[in-house]
Amino acid sequence: MKIYVKIMPKEGVLDPQGKAIENSLKQLGFADVQEARQGKIVELNLDIKNEEDALALTREMSERLLANMVIEDFEISIIKDDL
Amino acid sequence: MKIYVKIMPKEGVLDPQGKAIENSLKQLGFADVQEARQGKIVELNLDIKNEEDALALTREMSERLLANMVIEDFEISIIKDDL
């Protein structure tokens, strides 16, 4: 089963990469950009058939390794290939 | 309007960060992990009301700045806050 974990800086946490993207886009003339924030995404391929088990395991992996819960939030989504 | 751009390494392109995550998860005992890949995500807040205009602009920004089209693929999604 394929799962995405999206990890973003928490609201209020400094996000220098996002700020750099925002400034670069504005300098390139994209004046409609109000804000840019950068996060990371981890795509996992799990040897698990059951959705609930996969979600629970991914939550544990996110809290233990993938995200830094002090400054980041994460969000998990299952990828349905056959839709 | 809020838009996400998800940028992942193309299939076949080396992804050392993803490999490092995969190895760390396995060392932590998460044996069900078959593969991990890491990409980045850019959340944009655009001063545009029309969805088609926002998508077209974001595609242009992704090609010109956000993604490196030689080694990365990108995917755009609009975030509906009011759903």
Side-chain angles (χ1 to χ4, degrees), chain B residues 37-83:
Chain B
R37 294 172 67 78
Q38 189 186 314
K40 57 188 177 179
I41 194 154
V42 178
E43 186 190 302
L44 296 168
N45 208 338
L46 300 180
D47 187 19
I48 297 183
K49 292 276 169 288
N50 182 287
E51 261 189 30
E52 270 182 46
D53 293 349
L55 283 174
L57 189 79
T58 305
R59 202 166 298 123
E60 197 192 332
M61 292 192 288
S62 301
E63 283 167 5
R64 283 188 60 192
L65 180 80
L66 304 178
N68 177 343
M69 298 302 295
V70 181
I71 53 168
E72 294 170 327
D73 282 326
F74 68 87
E75 206 183 291
I76 298 170
S77 22
I78 290 184
I79 305 166
K80 314 264 189 186
D81 265 342
D82 27 8
L83 288 187

Side-chain angles (χ1 to χ4, degrees), chain A residues 3-34:
Chain A
I3 279 200
Y4 275 123
V5 185
K6 197 184 82 190
I7 300 146
M8 295 296 293
K10 279 186 202 280
E11 287 293 327
V13 169
L14 270 187
D15 171 20
Q17 288 174 304
K19 206 71 201 162
I21 290 175
E22 186 183 316
N23 293 339
S24 301
L25 287 173
K26 285 177 181 166
Q27 272 168 21
L28 284 172
F30 296 106
D32 294 320
V33 176
Q34 292 176 319

Side-chain angles (χ1 to χ4, degrees), chain A residues 3-5 7 40-44 66, chain B residues 21 36-39:
Chain A
I3 279 200
Y4 275 123
V5 185
I7 300 146
K40 58 187 175 177
I41 193 154
V42 178
E43 186 191 304
L44 296 169
L66 304 178
Chain B
I21 290 174
R37 294 172 67 78
Q38 189 186 314

Side-chain angles (χ1 to χ4, degrees), chain A residues 2 4 43 45 79 81, chain B residues 6-15 35-38 68-75:
Chain A
K2 275 197 179 181
Y4 275 123
E43 186 191 304
N45 208 338
I79 306 167
D81 266 342
Chain B
K6 196 184 84 190
I7 301 146
M8 295 295 293
K10 278 188 205 280
E11 288 293 326
V13 169
L14 271 187
D15 171 19
E35 197 196 4
R37 294 172 67 78
Q38 189 186 314
N68 177 343
M69 298 302 295
V70 181
I71 53 168
E72 294 170 327
D73 282 326
F74 68 87
E75 206 183 291

